[in-house]
Amino acid sequence: IIEKQYMGIDFCLAGLQVGLKHNYPRANAQFFAAKIEEYMDDGKGSIDPFIVAIISAIMASGILSKATAKKTEENEEQEKNVQRTEATPSEV
């Protein structure tokens, strides 16, 4: 979701389910959708505050830096493999 930069209602529902599992262990997407709807019906605005809070929590967790590090390692390994398979001018 973050890689594709899609941060709409599905992002909020997934983030709330994961991030608040310790407070609401049995809550599902419908539970959080109802809470968001209630929030918006009260005229408090958009889902933007939810998105900001979820992104902040994700960044604080360090999961993005771990994923980025893993992706970098995978890319470096792929580059090594490509370099090993390329023919040098003396081999042609």
Side-chain angles (χ1 to χ4, degrees):
I1 290 174
I2 292 174
E3 188 173 293
K4 293 180 182 179
Q5 297 182 357
Y6 170 74
M7 298 183 194
I9 191 69
D10 293 332
F11 172 78
C12 288
L13 295 175
L16 291 170
Q17 286 179 81
V18 172
L20 296 175
K21 194 162 205 71
H22 61 283
N23 289 351
Y24 301 96
R26 293 183 180 83
N28 57 20
Q30 291 79 19
F31 172 83
F32 289 111
K35 293 293 183 186
I36 292 172
E37 185 176 3
E38 182 181 319
Y39 171 84
M40 293 177 75
D41 285 348
D42 287 344
K44 295 181 181 169
S46 68
I47 62 171
D48 290 346
F50 295 97
I51 293 170
V52 170
I54 293 167
I55 291 171
S56 296
I58 291 169
M59 291 174 61
S61 75
I63 193 74
L64 288 180
S65 61
K66 292 175 188 173
T68 303
K70 183 176 181 182
K71 194 169 190 176
T72 301
E73 289 173 8
E74 289 172 357
N75 289 345
E76 288 174 0
E77 186 62 33
Q78 288 175 351
E79 287 176 15
K80 287 178 186 175
N81 289 337
V82 169
Q83 290 173 357
R84 287 183 200 136
T85 59
E86 291 178 348
T88 61
S90 63
E91 295 175 342
V92 177

